[in-house]
Every structure is written in structure tokens, then in C-alpha cells.
């Protein structure tokens, strides 16, 4: 870190900024941890607990700060280190919360991919310190916590293991509102755990707009009644983009309350700046639980301000009875924590009604901006937002939430990178290499939305890749995973015994998990480092305390870095618990001029160029191999988006100009055909 820095903060560091470790508010550990909602769940069981929820007059509150709030504001980068520090305070002073959303969604992937930490360790540490409040996660139905389909037995096993690891509330949704894609996960929660099955309807459109009839009030009520029949303990309204305006929220909750007899949990985002009003109007209509974020991580693409909602409801029938002083203390802590993550801020200075045009989920907004920066498209953000709305209409006006929203984002980035319009996409004479996620979605990999896919567009995209649409639910057609075999092979691969955490993480993200394990092998567990040290390294003379485990702390003092050696390394001098130490580190800036990839000549029919910037992830052909038009040549991966490159005509491969892992930019020469 000291020598090379981290790529995700490179060029974003302000050397003049002073970063102090956040002050953790005091907790009186002489007093026992008070009972909370989890205490009641364990005493009552799910059905009786939900009856208790229905009888409560106070509006129950879920704090999203540890999951959706930072996913929406800070590209999902908040570390377990900073969550665990405040966990005792939550348990002692905020036991009146309904739940803490702290897992699932993008956090599972990001923990390993970008933070080099174990998502299961996060759950274990929070569970140990917060035994009294419900812990909640977001679960993507057949997509689990990933972006693809998993065999049914993998989904079921993941739920079972997460429940055993301490997860209390599974908010389960499908990205296209297809109930069949939620069945396996819902059944697993009910049959394999003692946890709560919270099934979600994903809100899009505008039920008050008479011109938008595809997603009407009747559509949502019918969907909710179906989820109740499927065994939901709680119904969630998942307003992932903050499109549910105050009067629509009242109308929707009121209609649902008239039709179903289970608790209703309202989730929204505050991109427009008006959605605290949506929560208050939902409360007026009788909603049982609402999501909000601690003030210092609330607003805009995050959830509405929890502290302010609590204040607004005081001395009313829906008074939350949460402790103002405790909320103020925890807000100060999160404000200090947020400062440590300043490179991941997206400089969103105010709410915007533009969200009603592009309909981008709050949790995707900052992540898509990070993708745009990685693809050198940051200065074209307005075009990307406009393309996002255009793609949604191309796709037939769909529900947009992970993974469907990711596909819309992938397509928008693809169109902007290649300067394509909707007319270009619909022109069958143009030979385009669409992102892999787009092809798979048009095949029906994540299901078929209400009304189906637009036929013309679907044919163009599938023909470009030479594939046919799937029939039926894809996860049900996938071969059952041999979990014992996976465990055995993974153990051999890692040269150690593996546990259920390893197996589940590997099944979700094989490549990301493998890279995370390689990080552990090279550097050990870096999750114990204080956050400023983890992201920014250390300054000369700086000293940090690294707690490996209770009672075992290392004191590290950085002294200096030596001049470069002939082999391209530098010696880092430091003290460890007062004893002088040194280590040689490769200085990547001394590796010399990088080989620059030649550009493909667009007028040369033999040249195949890169449609997107990224890294070569697979190569499926060899020199001398005959290929047919539409046959896959290789794949490019960039920030979770994979794009396949296909042969533009029947030919023979003359040469391959890249290797696995080669970084390319748009237009770089990849393959030469004869």
C-alpha cells in the first residue's frame, strides 16, 4: 500500500486531508443488553412474531446504514471494521429498532472483490455483538447474492447456511417481479430456518399516472396476494429507485392493507428528496415497518433520514419511541466514518427529480458512476443517464433492480461507448457484439417480464450471438450442484480443509473468491487494518495499532522507503512492537513502459477490435482455427460487465493479439482473421 497504493483510490487521494479514527460513543457494559426484536422472534417463532408486529402502534424502523445506505452513497465500500466498532452501541442503546440491514445485495461480492474480506466474517461479528436486534439481508431469488442463476439446491443451501449463521430476515425479490423465481428461496427460509421470509414486490412506474398502465395498483395488489399464498411472513414494498411518491405510497399501502393480513415493510430511496414524505404517508395508511438510514448516511440515492422521521413522528400515534440522544450519537459516528471513504463519494450535491425520467435504482447510481469512471466515461454521465432511460424503453419498460438493472446499465454503457442510438441497435444490418448480460437476459436467463421481450430487439440480440431463447425457468434446468464434490475440489485447490462459508462463497463467485484467497495467501487478513491504513497506506513516522484478536495487538510504526533496487523492488523500513523490521516490495511504477496495444483498422476486414475497454477474461479460439460468423472469439470483463466478441464473418484465425489478462481500450486490436 505504501509503495504502490490501491487502484480504487488512485488519483483520488487528497494528501492534505487529515483522517482521524472515528470516536465510538460510550456504552455502559455493566448493564445487560436489553431485549429486542430478535429476542421476541426466538421466543415466539415467525408466525406469532408477525402477529405481534401487526398489533404495534409505533412505526417500526429498519436501519439500512450498514447495507443499502453505503451501497447507494459510497459504492458499497464500508468495511466490516467500521461496522463492528459501533455494533455494541446498537445492541445497548438502539434495541428498539426493528432490524439492521447489514448483508446481501452487492455487499457479498464487494466484500471479497474490493475490500478483501470475508462476508461471512462480517455476519458472524455483527451477530456476536448484536444478539438482540434482527439482522436483515437482501436476497435476489434465483440469483441469490449474485448476478446469474444458480441451481435450486445451491439457492436452498445458501439460505439454510445463512440462517444458521445468524440471519433473521430474508428480504427476497425477483428483478422482474416473477414469483416463480422466488419460490425456492421462500420455501428454504420457511423449511430450513427459523427466520422471517419477507417477500418483496418491486415498485416501478407510477400508479397515479393514468397513462402508465403496465404497472397499475391492481398489478401490485395481485402480486402481493400471490406472494402471501406462497408463504410470505412479511410483504416488502421495494421502491428501489424512489419512484413511489407520497400519495402513491398512501394509496398502495391502503389498498394492500385491505387485501392482505401480514405485516407490510416499506423500502424507498430519497433521490428525489421527497421520499421521507412517502414514508410518513405510508405510516398514515398503516404500514408496519419502514426503512431509513442514519442521518449522516441518508438522503439522495440512500434512504430518507431516520433521525428526522423519528422526530417527525414524535407525539403522534405512530411515534417510534426510539432514543433521540442515541440516534444523534450514532449519527456523529457514521459522519466521521463517512469521511474515511471520501474517494468513493460521487459529489451528489442535491436531490433531483431526474430520477423520475431515468428510473435508476439508488443502489446502482454510485456503482454505475464508478463503472463509468473505470471505462473513462465519467464526463459523459448525462449521456449514460439518458441512455439508461432509452434502454429501458427498448427493453419494453421493465422492472429495474439487480440483476435486471445491471443489464440496463451494461447496455447503456455499451451504447455510449460505441456512440449508438436506439435506431442503431434496432438496425439488423449493424453487426454488434452486445454485452454478455444483455444476450443472456434476452434469452430469458432471469425470466421473461410482463408482456414479454420486444420481439424485434430480442431477435437482433440473439442472432448476433447465435443463440436461442430458453424455455421455462432456467434455474430449474441447471444441473444440481454436487456440493460434496465442490467441497473436495476446493479443498484440493486451496490445500486446506474448507468450511461451509468457503463453499458458499465459491459457488456464488468462483473467480472473485479465488482472487480473495490469493490475497489472503500473499498478505494475510488485511481486514484488521484501520480503514485509513487499508485505503491510503501510512505516512512517514505514523504509528497504528492493529488488533489481531482480543488481547493481541500489533503496534506498527512506518519509518521510510529506500531507493529502488536493480530488481525493481524497494525496501520498506518499519518498527513492529518497537523492533526494527524491513521488507522488500515490488514497485510497480518501475516496471518500465507498458506495451501499448495496437488499434484495429475499422476499414480492414481482417481486424477484430475491442468494443469496450476492459481485461481479456476468456479466449475461446486458437490461431489457424476456422470460425463461423457469430462464433465467440473471446470475452472482455470490466467492473462486473462481461462482453463477448464474435467473429464478424466466416474465416480462419490468423493470430490472436492479446493474452488472458491483457488490458485493452475500445478499438484495440484483438484478433486478425485470414
Amino acid at each position: 500500500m505504501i509503495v504502490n497504493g490501491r487502484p480504487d483510490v488512485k488519483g483520488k487521494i487528497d494528501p492534505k486531508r487529515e483522517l482521524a479514527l472515528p470516536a465510538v460513543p460510550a456504552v455502559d457494559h455493566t448493564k445487560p443488553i436489553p431485549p429486542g426484536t430478535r429476542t421476541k422472534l426466538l421466543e415466539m417463532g415467525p408466525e406469532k412474531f408477525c402477529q405481534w408486529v401487526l398489533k404495534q402502534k409505533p412505526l417500526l424502523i429498519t436501519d439500512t446504514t450498514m447495507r443499502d445506505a453505503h451501497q447507494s452513497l459510497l459504492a458499497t465500500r464500508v468495511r466490516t471494521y467500521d461496522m463492528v466498532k459501533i455494533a455494541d452501541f446498537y445492541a445497548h442503546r438502539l434495541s428498539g429498532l426493528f432490524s439492521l440491514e447489514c448483508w446481501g445485495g452487492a455487499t457479498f461480492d464487494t466484500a471479497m472483490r474490493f475490500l478483501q474480506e470475508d462476508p461471512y466474517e462480517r455476519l458472524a461479528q455483527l451477530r456476536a455483538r448484536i444478539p438482540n436486534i434482527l439482522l436483515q439481508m437482501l436476497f435476489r431469488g434465483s440469483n441469490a447474492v449474485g448476478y446469474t442463476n444458480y441451481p435450486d439446491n445451491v439457492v436452498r443451501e445458501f439460505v439454510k447456511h445463512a440462517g444458521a449463521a445468524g440471519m433473521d430476515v430474508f428480504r427476497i425479490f425477483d428483478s422482474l417481479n416473477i414469483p416463480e423465481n422466488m419460490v425456492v428461496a421462500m420455501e428454504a427460509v420457511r423449511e430450513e430456518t427459523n427466520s422471517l421470509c419477507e417477500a418483496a414486490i418491486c415498485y416501478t412506474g407510477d400508479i397515479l399516472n393514468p397513462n402508465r398502465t403496465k404497472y397499475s395498483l391492481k398489478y401490485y395488489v395481485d402480486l402481493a396476494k400471490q406472494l402471501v399464498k406462497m408463504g410470505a411472513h412479511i410483504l416488502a414494498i421495494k421502491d428501489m429507485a424512489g419512484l413511489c411518491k407520497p400519495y402513491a405510497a398512501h394509496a398502495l399501502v391502503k389498498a394492500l392493507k385491505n387485501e392482505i393480513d401480514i405485516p407490510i415493510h416499506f423500502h424507498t430511496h430519497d433521490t428525489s428528496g421527497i421520499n421521507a414524505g412517502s414514508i410518513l404517508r405510508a405510516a398514515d395508511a398503516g404500514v408496519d415497518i419502514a426503512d431509513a438510514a442514519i442521518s449522516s448516511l441518508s438522503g439522495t440515492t440512500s434512504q430518507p433520514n431516520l433521525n428526522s422521521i423519528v422526530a417527525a413522528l414524535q407525539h403522534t400515534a405512530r411515534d417510534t419511541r426510539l432514543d433521540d440522544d442515541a440516534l444523534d450519537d450514532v449519527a456523529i459516528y457514521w459522519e466521521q466514518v463517512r469521511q474515511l471513504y471520501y474517494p468513493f463519494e460521487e459529489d451528489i450535491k442535491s436531490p433531483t427529480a431526474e430520477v423520475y425520467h431515468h428510473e435508476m435504482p439508488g443502489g446502482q447510481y454510485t456503482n454505475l458512476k464508478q463503472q463509468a469512471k473505470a471505462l473513462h466515461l465519467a464526463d459523459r454521465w448525462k449521456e449514460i443517464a439518458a441512455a439508461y432511460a432509452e434502454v429501458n424503453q427498448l427493453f419494453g419498460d421493465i422492472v429495474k433492480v439487480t440483476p435486471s438493472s445491471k443489464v440496463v446499465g451494461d447496455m447503456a454503457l455499451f451504447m455510449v461507448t460505441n456512440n449508438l442510438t436506439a435506431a442503431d441497435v434496432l438496425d439488423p444490418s449493424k453487426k454488434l457484439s452486445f454485452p454478455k448480460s444483455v444476450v443472456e437476459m434476452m434469452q430469458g436467463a432471469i425470466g421473461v417480464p410482463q408482456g414479454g421481450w420486444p420481439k424485434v430487439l430480442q431477435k437482433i440480440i440473439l442472432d448476433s450471438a447465435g443463440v436461442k431463447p430458453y424455455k421455462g425457468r432456467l434455474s430449474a434446468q441447471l444441473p444440481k450442484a454436487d456440493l460434496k464434490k465442490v467441497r473436495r475440489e476446493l479443498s484440493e485447490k486451496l490445500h486446506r480443509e474448507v468450511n461451509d462459508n468457503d463453499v458458499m462463497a465459491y459457488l456464488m463467485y468462483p473467480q472473485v473468491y479465488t482472487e480473495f484467497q490469493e490475497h489472503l495467501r500473499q498478505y494475510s487478513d488485511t481486514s484488521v487494518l484501520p480503514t485509513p491504513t487499508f485505503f491510503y497506506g501510512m505516512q512517514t513516522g505514523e504509528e497504528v495499532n492493529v488488533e489481531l484478536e482480543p488481547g493481541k495487538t500489533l503496534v506498527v510504526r512506518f519509518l521510510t522507503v529506500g531507493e529502488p533496487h536493480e530488481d525493481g523492488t524497494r525496501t520498506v523500513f518499519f518498527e513492529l512492537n518497537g523492533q526494527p523490521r524491513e521488507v522488500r516490495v515490488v514497485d510497480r511504477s518501475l516496471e518500465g513502459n507498458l506495451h501499448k496495444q495496437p488499434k484495429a483498422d475499422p476499414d480492414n476486414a481482417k481486424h477484430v477490435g475491442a468494443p469496450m475497454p476492459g481485461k481479456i477474461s476468456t479466449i475461446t479460439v486458437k490461431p489457424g482455427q476456422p470460425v463461423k460468423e457469430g462464433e465467440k472469439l473471446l470475452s472482455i470483463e470490466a467492473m462486473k460487465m462481461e462482453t463477448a466478441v464474435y467473429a464478424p464473418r466466416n474465416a480462419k484465425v490468423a493470430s490472436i493479439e492479446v493474452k488472458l489478462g491483457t488490458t485493452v481500450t475500445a478499438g484495440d486490436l484483438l484478433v486478425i482473421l485470414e
Side-chain angles (χ1 to χ4, degrees), residues 118 162 184 256 309 394 486 549 637:
D118 185 346
V184 173
L256 290 171
I309 290 168
L394 272 174
V486 171
E549 57 187 58
E637 191 272 336

Side-chain angles (χ1 to χ4, degrees), residues 129-307:
R129 289 166 174 79
I130 311 174
N132 55 334
I133 305 173
L134 296 173
L135 299 184
Q136 180 173 313
M137 75 169 294
L138 186 64
F139 195 82
R140 300 165 178 162
S142 296
N143 308 119
V145 290
Y147 303 98
T148 187
N149 285 273
Y150 298 97
D152 286 347
N153 72 314
V154 170
V155 171
R156 194 175 187 91
E157 190 65 25
F158 187 98
V159 170
K160 179 181 177 181
H161 180 54
M167 186 49 59
D168 302 303
V169 184
F170 290 81
R171 177 177 287 168
I172 300 166
F173 73 95
D174 177 72
S175 70
L176 295 173
N177 274 346
I178 302 171
E180 291 77 12
N181 287 344
M182 301 164 65
V183 170
V184 173
M186 290 177 66
E187 288 180 348
V189 174
R190 292 191 65 98
E191 296 170 7
E192 303 287 357
T193 78
N194 294 313
S195 305
L196 294 164
C197 173
E198 182 175 297
I201 56 174
C202 297
Y203 183 91
T204 193
D206 183 355
I207 60 172
L208 300 182
N209 185 344
N211 297 318
R212 295 195 69 176
T213 57
K214 185 172 184 179
Y215 303 104
S216 64
L217 183 59
K218 183 180 184 300
Y219 164 81
Y220 291 115
V221 171
D222 289 346
L223 180 59
K225 290 163 75 173
Q226 189 171 351
L227 295 177
V228 172
K229 287 182 181 178
M230 289 165 56
H233 291 126
I234 300 172
L235 178 80
I237 300 169
K238 181 173 170 57
D239 178 27
M240 55 280 174
L243 302 179
C244 194
K245 301 167 187 174
Y247 295 102
H250 185 276
L252 179 57
V253 171
K254 184 177 179 181
L256 290 171
K257 276 291 181 181
N258 288 333
E259 296 288 342
I260 65 174
D261 59 357
I262 63 173
I264 299 174
H265 193 161
F266 183 47
H267 168 89
T268 189
H269 288 254
D270 204 24
T271 310
S272 70
I274 203 69
N275 285 66
S278 297
I279 290 176
L280 296 178
R281 290 298 282 146
D284 290 342
V287 79
D288 301 283
I289 317 157
D291 284 4
I294 293 298
S295 59
S296 43
L297 274 166
S298 71
T300 61
T301 54
S302 178
Q303 278 66 57
N305 187 323
L306 190 158
N307 305 55

Side-chain angles (χ1 to χ4, degrees), residues 322-479:
L322 292 171
D323 185 335
D324 274 348
D325 291 336
L327 290 173
D328 288 344
D329 286 346
V330 82
I332 292 170
Y333 173 79
W334 284 119
E335 181 178 13
Q336 294 171 347
V337 166
R338 184 171 181 173
Q339 293 174 18
L340 305 181
Y341 295 86
Y342 71 89
F344 304 106
E345 296 272 8
E346 286 302 335
D347 198 29
I348 304 170
K349 297 191 183 301
S350 64
T352 174
E354 187 184 40
V355 67
Y356 299 125
H357 171 63
H358 59 62
E359 300 185 351
M360 198 179 296
Q364 182 182 26
Y365 193 92
T366 54
N367 285 280
L368 190 60
K369 276 204 162 187
Q370 289 285 329
Q371 279 185 279
K373 286 180 179 179
L375 298 173
H376 308 293
L377 298 173
D379 59 338
R380 300 181 69 182
W381 177 250
K382 284 189 176 180
E383 293 176 64
I384 292 169
Y388 191 97
E390 190 174 35
V391 169
N392 178 50
Q393 294 305 314
L394 272 174
F395 287 176
D397 189 10
I398 63 171
V399 176
K400 294 169 292 300
V401 61
T402 308
S404 63
S405 59
K406 178 186 178 297
V407 182
V408 176
D410 288 351
M411 185 66 176
L413 291 172
F414 173 76
M415 289 175 64
V416 172
T417 299
N418 293 282
N419 300 306
L420 299 171
T421 65
D424 293 328
V425 172
L426 293 171
D427 183 351
S429 67
K430 288 187 177 294
K431 300 296 183 182
L432 301 174
S433 295
F434 293 96
K436 179 183 177 183
S437 63
V438 175
V439 175
E440 291 179 343
M441 188 164 82
M442 287 296 152
Q443 283 184 277
I446 61 174
V448 179
Q450 181 177 346
W453 299 113
K455 297 298 183 184
V456 173
L457 178 70
Q458 184 185 36
K459 186 177 189 307
I460 288 171
I461 291 174
L462 296 187
D463 286 352
S464 75
V467 296
K468 300 294 183 183
Y470 297 118
K471 294 181 180 179
R473 187 171 67 87
L474 181 58
S475 288
Q477 302 172 40
L478 296 174

Side-chain angles (χ1 to χ4, degrees), residues 306-315 320 324 327:
L306 190 158
N307 305 55
S308 296
I309 290 168
V310 168
L313 290 172
Q314 285 173 347
H315 315 300
T320 67
D324 274 348
L327 290 173

Side-chain angles (χ1 to χ4, degrees), residues 594-664:
L594 297 174
H595 169 69
K596 290 187 176 180
Q597 194 68 23
K599 292 291 182 182
D601 182 351
D603 297 322
N604 189 336
K606 296 181 179 180
H607 284 194
V608 179
M612 296 279 287
K615 185 181 291 185
I616 303 300
S617 56
T618 59
I619 299 175
T620 56
V621 294
K622 299 177 180 179
Q625 177 180 332
V627 292
K628 295 182 179 180
E629 179 181 350
E631 186 173 341
K632 182 177 175 182
L633 302 175
L634 49 78
S635 293
I636 303 170
E637 191 272 336
M639 289 291 288
K640 307 180 188 177
M641 178 171 67
E642 186 173 320
T643 299
V645 178
Y646 303 98
R649 58 183 173 83
N650 293 340
K652 182 182 287 187
V653 176
S655 65
I656 299 170
E657 301 299 307
V658 291
K659 299 183 293 184
L660 284 176
T662 299
T663 298
V664 297

